[in-house]
Amino acid sequence: MNTIRTPVAIIGAGPAGLLLGQLLAKQGVENIIVERVSGDYVLGRIRAGILEQGLVKLLQEAGVSDRMFAEGEYHRGVEIAIDGKRVHIDLENLTGGDQVMCYGQTEVTRDLMEARAAAGLTSYYESSDTQIHDIESDAPYVTFSHDGEQYRLDCDFVAGCDGFHGVSRKTIPEAKRTEFERVYPFGWLGVLSDTPPCNDELIYAKSERGFALASMRSKTRSRYYIQVPLTDSVENWSDDAFWEELKKRLPADVAETMITGPSIEKSIAPLRSFVCEPMQYGKLYLLGDAAHIVPPTGAKGLNLAASDVETLYKILTKFYKEGRADLLREYSEKALKRVWAGERFSWWMSNMLHDYGDEQITAMSAEMQDRFMASERDYYFGTEEGKTVVAKQYVGLPYPTVE
Ligand code: FAS
Ligand code: PHB
């Protein structure tokens, strides 16, 4: 058994783990990352595309923002299309100057991986049998296998950044955990294509055929989604079938000029809202998808992971540099307040823009539900004060204060 030690053991090298590791290291707080798969496998995941202003600032603080500013694109607004009628949400003017950055999660992860390697920070990729031990003691530790060797990693704290299917959340005793979940009656079929985006800004579309989203990764790479039944499978969707259906759901003028091409990635993601309370137990802290999941309709998944990271990084930095042990117990309550706001917004955006068929969002008749939703759309996408509420949530609410 190889026994090693670090102040903070981070489980998972997704954006949450890598960003936390980078920010702590810049404050002189050493850390080691244990990751289940290879770096290439992590980079092969196609996920988020919209960064809130708070995450942009964090990446700057982490020293990994150069390529984002060079290749990413600020969006001053976003479009909502209801049955073909386009409404512009002027994010910049409605929020007093905030915008969102369009830059893929894959690129954020790549930039963080390269910075970690350049800083000579230790990461154990392709590790297995990761287990977290004695989190209720003052001497927690992590065991794992790597390259045929067994490791014991002694630490002060464990940061569980290992996603929804990781080991961290399950390390909290079941009797001490409360889990909240809403599984949606549909999924998103996503396509990545090396074609120019059909619009300068994102278009979230609700049509009688269901939801669609026109997004992008760059001026030459587009990302599209359509709502599909949970029973659907990627095999049912040729590229032509996808483009034909997408065009039927987007506004006609956009569909007419859209440039299509071969898909370079095509997958179906289920949608769920999920929160685990508390987000800490003993010396274990949960961050990002390890603690919560949102439907991507509000572009909040990656961005909520970032606000968890900022909250814990500030708490741990104050603990190591100022001896602020009092802050250690405040993480979960601080993080959850912003998590629930992001969960509600993502649930609400999903309700506004998807076809629920006969499924009840709340206990009422489908017809009554339709009228509620139509009235909400009229208000939140059709009035200045309604659009202001949407804009402030979309660009991201302020991060929790740590003082
Ligand atoms: P991640 O899941 O990204 O990373 C967790 C890491 O932990 C992984 O690398 C995993 O291999 C590792 N791990 C797991 N178990 C382990 C173990 N036992 N030991 C060691 N390591 C372990 N968000 C948006 O905002 N917009 C979107 O469009 C969007 N689309 C998505 C599509 C899909 C298919 C999925 C699954 C998610 C999507 N998300 C989207 C949400 C996504 O971006 C997450 O919020 C983001 O990846 C969260 O980052 P992490 O918390 O780091 O978790
Ligand atoms: C994406 O570009 O993948 C994307 C953008 C915004 C969302 C969801 C996904 O709300």
Side-chain angles (χ1 to χ4, degrees):
M1 173 76 80
N2 301 285
T3 300
I4 52 181
R5 195 190 200 290
T6 190
V8 181
I10 298 174
I11 316 291
L18 288 164
L19 181 55
L20 178 65
Q22 189 68 12
L23 289 164
L24 287 174
K26 285 187 87 69
Q27 294 296 328
V29 180
E30 287 181 23
N31 57 86
I32 288 178
I33 289 182
V34 179
E35 164 57 55
R36 184 169 52 86
V37 297
S38 68
D40 286 343
Y41 190 94
V42 175
L43 291 174
R45 296 177 183 134
I46 306 300
R47 292 208 177 151
I50 292 294
L51 312 185
E52 292 175 350
Q53 198 62 28
L55 175 48
V56 170
K57 287 178 184 155
L58 262 187
L59 292 169
Q60 268 182 291
E61 191 173 338
V64 297
S65 58
D66 291 351
R67 195 161 71 95
M68 172 183 66
F69 286 127
E71 298 176 18
E73 199 172 79
Y74 267 120
H75 283 199
R76 293 175 171 73
V78 64
E79 283 199 29
I80 307 286
I82 307 296
D83 298 329
K85 181 173 177 290
R86 300 170 71 170
V87 170
H88 185 246
I89 308 279
D90 185 342
L91 300 173
E92 188 174 31
N93 285 327
L94 290 169
T95 63
D98 274 349
Q99 306 162 25
V100 291
M101 169 66 77
C102 190
Y103 186 65
Q105 172 176 321
T106 305
E107 304 319 313
V108 171
T109 308
R110 192 191 313 279
D111 296 340
L112 285 164
M113 275 183 186
E114 289 173 0
R116 185 168 182 87
L121 299 174
T122 306
S123 309
Y124 289 90
Y125 282 92
E126 296 180 278
S127 300
S128 54
D129 308 319
T130 307
Q131 295 297 321
I132 304 166
H133 309 270
D134 293 357
I135 54 176
E136 296 181 65
S137 78
D138 284 337
Y141 64 97
V142 177
T143 54
F144 60 94
S145 305
H146 175 77
D147 265 354
E149 299 266 323
Q150 300 299 310
Y151 285 80
R152 170 179 167 135
L153 171 55
D154 290 315
C155 55
D156 301 329
F157 303 102
V158 180
C161 302
D162 48 351
F164 186 66
H165 302 289
V167 65
S168 298
R169 185 175 68 251
K170 296 162 192 153
T171 303
I172 298 178
E174 206 160 340
K176 301 288 185 184
R177 268 185 280 140
T178 305
E179 298 188 348
F180 304 84
E181 184 168 55
R182 164 28 163 180
V183 178
Y184 293 83
F186 39 74
W188 280 18
L189 167 60
V191 160
L192 194 67
S193 62
D194 280 332
T195 54
C198 65
N199 195 50
D200 292 343
E201 296 174 337
L202 272 64
I203 302 176
Y204 292 80
K206 171 175 173 29
S207 80
E208 60 189 16
R209 300 176 68 90
F211 170 81
L213 170 61
S215 183
M216 60 199 78
R217 290 292 177 271
S218 68
K219 291 213 180 300
T220 58
R221 178 165 285 192
S222 299
R223 179 69 168 160
Y224 294 105
Y225 300 93
I226 57 172
Q227 169 187 349
V228 292
L230 282 177
T231 52
D232 213 336
S233 70
V234 181
E235 290 69 35
N236 296 339
W237 291 91
S238 67
D239 286 0
D240 289 347
F242 176 83
W243 294 120
E244 188 183 337
E245 184 58 34
L246 177 68
K247 288 181 177 180
K248 288 176 182 170
R249 300 189 187 188
L250 291 176
D253 53 339
V254 169
E256 272 156 31
T257 55
M258 168 183 280
I259 297 171
T260 64
S263 59
I264 53 178
E265 194 270 351
K266 192 190 294 178
S267 57
I268 292 180
L271 273 61
R272 77 177 73 236
S273 298
F274 174 89
V275 178
C276 171
E277 289 187 359
M279 288 176 54
Q280 70 184 91
Y281 187 77
K283 295 292 194 297
L284 171 63
Y285 293 92
L286 302 181
L287 299 89
D289 280 17
H292 43 74
I293 297 284
V294 283
T297 328
K300 289 297 167 222
L302 174 59
N303 292 299
L304 286 175
S307 60
D308 294 346
V309 166
E310 203 252 12
T311 304
L312 186 62
Y313 138 69
K314 289 235 167 101
I315 288 174
L316 292 181
T317 301
K318 283 180 176 289
F319 168 73
Y320 282 107
K321 288 190 161 182
E322 304 169 24
R324 292 291 307 276
D326 58 304
L327 291 173
L328 295 174
R329 61 177 169 274
E330 294 185 11
Y331 166 76
S332 181
E333 187 180 344
K334 284 181 182 296
L336 278 169
K337 190 165 170 43
R338 194 174 187 278
V339 164
W340 278 113
E343 290 281 345
R344 189 215 62 84
F345 178 69
S346 304
W347 168 83
W348 178 83
M349 282 285 276
S350 301
N351 296 345
M352 290 293 104
L353 297 171
H354 288 81
D355 175 3
Y356 279 71
D358 295 334
E359 156 111 357
Q360 287 201 314
I361 297 172
T362 49
M364 65 178 76
S365 71
E367 294 73 20
M368 184 176 183
Q369 181 171 280
D370 285 347
R371 284 166 181 66
F372 267 47
M373 295 302 122
S375 165
E376 289 221 46
R377 285 190 288 273
D378 289 346
Y379 176 73
Y380 285 104
F381 301 141
T383 68
E384 280 311 287
E385 65 267 33
K387 287 181 188 177
T388 302
V389 169
V390 174
K392 286 182 173 176
Q393 297 263 9
Y394 192 83
V395 299
L397 298 176
Y399 280 178
T401 51
V402 175
E403 51 200 12

